[in-house]
Amino acid sequence: MLNLIQSLRWLMQPKLWRFVCFVSSVVGLICYPLSSSFHHLFGYWRWWKILLYTVFCSIISFAVLFAKTRERSSTLRVKAHLAFLVLIITSVYSFFFDKLFKGKTDAYGLVSCTAFAIMSLGLSRQTHFGFEVDLLYFFCGAVIVQLMKIKLWLVTVGASFSYSLIIVRSSLDVPLGRSEHLELQGAQDQVVIEVDLPIQVNTSTENDDLGFLVTQADNSQEGNRDKDSIMARLMSCIEALEKENENLINMLSELVNQYIKGNRISVLQLLPDYDVMMHTMPLGIINDLHETVKLMVESGFEEECCHVYSSCRRKFVEECLSTMGLEALNMMDVENWITACKVTLRTLFPNEKRLCHRVFMGFSSAADISFKEVCEELTISLLSFGDAFATGIHSSNLLCHVIPRVFKTLSNQILEYELLFSDQCSVSLRNEALKAWKRLSEANEGIFVMLESIICGDTVKAIVHGGGVHTVTCQVMNCLREICEARDINRRIEYITTPNRKENSSVISIKFNWIIELLESNLEATSKNYTDIALGYVFMMNNLRYIEAEAKKWKARNILGKHWFRKHATKVRQNFELYQITSWNTVLEFLKQDKDESVAPSIVAESMKEKISLFNMHFEEICNVQSTWSVFGRQLREHIRISLENVLLPVYGNFIDKFQDAYGKRAYDYIEYGISDIQDQLNRLFLVIHPTVRSL
């Protein structure tokens, strides 16, 4: 039984029926022009017939593929006109077909009618104008007639096929596995209609789809309905709704788990489809619940109805978060809170809003009240989590790392709060979000003071092995990045809330420049602690390049000023020149040649032999040591290597040439490195490449 229910639920998917409808229409339109009936009716093919039929097929196929799902027609007149048009077309076709074609059918004609019947079934799942049923009956009848023309006993096959399509259509639009009990109780008379098959209560389609008439009591007697019986009907509808929740929760949980594990999915980022509930739940359940809600509100039980519905949906939202492992929020799990915010604001709440307004269609006030009750408790909980960082007392290290992320997340979501809670009933939730954001904004401003204490603390004084990027540099720049990325959103929010407010850009610019200047000053003091002076300059070069690269990533040109990057590049270049002087100038000194012509050639040759020996020793030592040093990024490493080659290789090549002239073939006994060997050794420098650190 469970497998049957799951199969039927799978058959209810709109995308499946859209695909079935499109494929069936294509098969039917391809087979029909190949059939003998087509040639009897329209004659032999001509170029203009081919053109017209191609255009006709394209229109029909695209119309079927992109037909929009409609729960009810906008007007009954549209349905009537469409039904009449289909009646005329099918009648005229039947007349000419019977008049001109008296022979047996062929396979193409049979396949085309079968495909068109399935297309009509699929179309009835996408639109509800009413003409789809007429088309289904017409093509089912055509299949039966054509099978009878082949063999009379094949009527059983045609009847079985037609019966199965009609039963499938009548079963897919209703709740699974339960009978419906409708009670309409008046002051003087009561009508009870009970059927064994599931039914769908829908003001536009129930008579067409189910083939029976529900007799209602006079409207003047509706106020006297028994509250208990109406409430029992509502609880029955809520029970059916809750049965559908399990599949929906599992589907949402799977998508969220993929997101958490790093398989980024397009969920705005979680789910871009705000109609996922409407597409997953059977329309029969939703329509039935709408009719029951309408009955309760019109009978004066709006408050009770809203309370029962919101309690059910609030429980669903809580179960969703619990299944996803997002229900428990603590101060150390910011990632959990961020994911919970995305799931609720971008998936659960928008879907609940759409479902709520569909169920309470025609009663906007009740819909707004119910939606607020569904979201209120969880919204306050999420906002309180962020608010705790703004008002609590925590370590400066924790706040500098966490508050900017919490502030940026809430900044990104303020506009979503504005859209979700746009009605007057939910204005309090919208205001709570703005208050929490403003308090976090104030706390975010205080982070600059905390950054100063971190930069001036003992941690920054510790040297980094290999001269890599300091952890304090990463932490400070990450913090500034979060503030900078949230800045544009904040300006838009402040414009919405206080249109006349002007941002003081000079204040934020001064703060950013001061923090970075203070950081660089303390890093320079730390660089003096290296016993190898050259490594101190490499340390400064790495950290300065990291600061520059991060500033470019968060597009801080408007904050730091257009001259800041040029000035910063100059600092990097100066540290590279100092590194080159302290590391390689000594080696280059060994390659200098005596220019005194009065010195005897033998003495010059002996001096060159001593110099090449010293060069070999120092060059090998420098390469071995600096191969263990770190460098920030392959681009900086390549720049250092090319610069050293440009300085070292010409001087070394010239020295080797002179040395060979002086010693001849014996020179190779003293030359350990050729030009290519020098290049290979330089390629071994800075083998530890420091990656771009975005968070710690």
Side-chain angles (χ1 to χ4, degrees), residues 250-267 269-271 323-324 326 339 343:
N250 291 336
M251 182 188 70
L252 293 174
S253 299
E254 184 178 351
L255 291 174
V256 172
N257 287 335
Q258 291 178 16
Y259 173 81
I260 294 174
K261 290 177 182 178
N263 302 324
R264 290 297 185 264
I265 53 177
S266 275
V267 189
Q269 287 185 38
L270 275 178
L271 273 181
T323 305
M324 298 169 190
L326 303 174
T339 305
V343 171

Side-chain angles (χ1 to χ4, degrees), residues 627-662:
S627 64
T628 63
W629 290 1
S630 298
V631 71
F632 174 70
R634 297 184 182 277
Q635 186 178 1
L636 180 59
R637 180 176 182 270
E638 190 67 12
H639 171 72
I640 294 174
R641 185 188 65 79
I642 292 174
S643 298
L644 291 178
E645 283 185 357
N646 293 337
V647 171
L648 185 60
L649 292 182
V651 177
Y652 183 74
N654 186 50
F655 182 88
I656 292 299
D657 290 341
K658 298 288 186 182
F659 187 65
Q660 287 176 334
D661 291 341

Side-chain angles (χ1 to χ4, degrees), residues 352-368:
E352 287 297 334
K353 188 171 185 178
R354 296 291 291 268
L355 180 63
C356 189
H357 280 80
R358 173 61 185 86
V359 170
F360 287 88
M361 187 167 55
F363 307 98
S364 59
S365 175
D368 293 341

Side-chain angles (χ1 to χ4, degrees), residues 148 185 243 304 310 330 427 615:
M148 289 175 67
Q185 181 178 356
K243 288 180 180 178
E304 294 90 338
S310 60
N330 60 76
V427 67
F615 171 84

Side-chain angles (χ1 to χ4, degrees), residues 15 54 56 68 80 97 120 167 192 224 237 268 339 353 360 366 412 420 484 643:
K15 292 182 179 179
T54 303
F56 172 77
K68 293 184 178 179
F97 183 83
S120 302
I167 290 300
V192 177
N224 298 320
C237 294
L268 255 179
T339 305
K353 188 171 185 178
F360 287 88
N412 277 319
L420 273 173
C484 185
S643 298

Side-chain angles (χ1 to χ4, degrees), residues 33-206:
L34 300 175
S35 65
S36 56
S37 60
F38 181 88
H39 294 298
H40 280 82
L41 289 174
F42 300 104
Y44 293 103
W45 283 106
R46 297 289 187 271
W47 68 268
W48 58 270
K49 288 183 182 180
I50 296 176
L51 179 62
L52 287 176
Y53 189 76
T54 303
V55 173
F56 172 77
C57 291
S58 301
I59 293 173
I60 294 298
S61 299
F62 281 105
V64 166
L65 181 61
F66 297 106
K68 293 184 178 179
T69 302
R70 296 182 182 273
E71 295 170 11
R72 59 182 70 225
S73 173
S74 56
T75 64
L76 293 176
R77 185 174 297 178
V78 173
K79 293 181 64 176
H81 286 166
L82 287 173
F84 176 74
L85 180 62
V86 171
L87 174 65
I88 294 298
I89 293 174
T90 54
S91 299
V92 172
Y93 176 82
S94 299
F95 171 78
F96 284 104
F97 183 83
D98 292 338
K99 184 177 180 180
L100 298 176
F101 186 65
K102 299 297 184 181
K104 289 187 177 182
T105 186
D106 56 18
Y108 290 117
L110 183 60
V111 171
S112 64
C113 285
T114 304
F116 287 144
I118 298 174
M119 178 199 72
S120 302
L121 173 63
L123 198 60
S124 68
R125 291 287 297 159
Q126 294 175 243
T127 61
H128 296 282
F129 286 108
F131 71 87
E132 312 92 341
V133 184
D134 298 330
L135 283 176
L136 175 62
Y137 293 159
F138 173 79
F139 286 115
C140 285
V143 170
I144 295 174
V145 170
Q146 294 197 47
L147 286 171
M148 289 175 67
K149 287 184 177 183
I150 299 173
K151 292 288 184 180
L152 189 60
W153 62 268
L154 290 178
V155 66
T156 56
V157 177
S160 300
F161 171 75
S162 302
Y163 179 75
S164 63
L165 291 188
I166 293 171
I167 290 300
V168 168
R169 185 192 175 280
S170 63
S171 300
L172 289 178
D173 287 341
V174 295
L176 297 174
R178 73 181 189 91
S179 63
E180 188 64 29
H181 196 104
L182 299 179
E183 294 188 7
L184 301 174
Q185 181 178 356
Q188 296 178 349
D189 55 332
Q190 177 180 8
V191 179
V192 177
I193 299 176
E194 183 172 355
V195 294
D196 292 331
L197 291 175
I199 66 169
Q200 174 185 359
V201 180
N202 187 313
T203 56
S204 63
T205 61
E206 71 274 6

Side-chain angles (χ1 to χ4, degrees), residues 1-2 5-6 9 175-179 235-250 280-282 285 312-313 315-316 319:
M1 181 63 183
L2 180 61
I5 293 175
Q6 291 176 345
R9 283 174 178 161
L176 297 174
R178 73 181 189 91
S179 63
M235 296 308 296
S236 179
C237 294
I238 292 296
E239 182 182 352
L241 190 65
E242 289 177 340
K243 288 180 180 178
E244 296 296 325
N245 286 346
E246 184 177 354
N247 287 336
L248 190 58
I249 290 174
N250 291 336
T280 303
M281 291 184 181
I285 292 180
C312 164
R313 299 314 301 168
K315 180 182 176 183
F316 165 77
E319 287 179 354

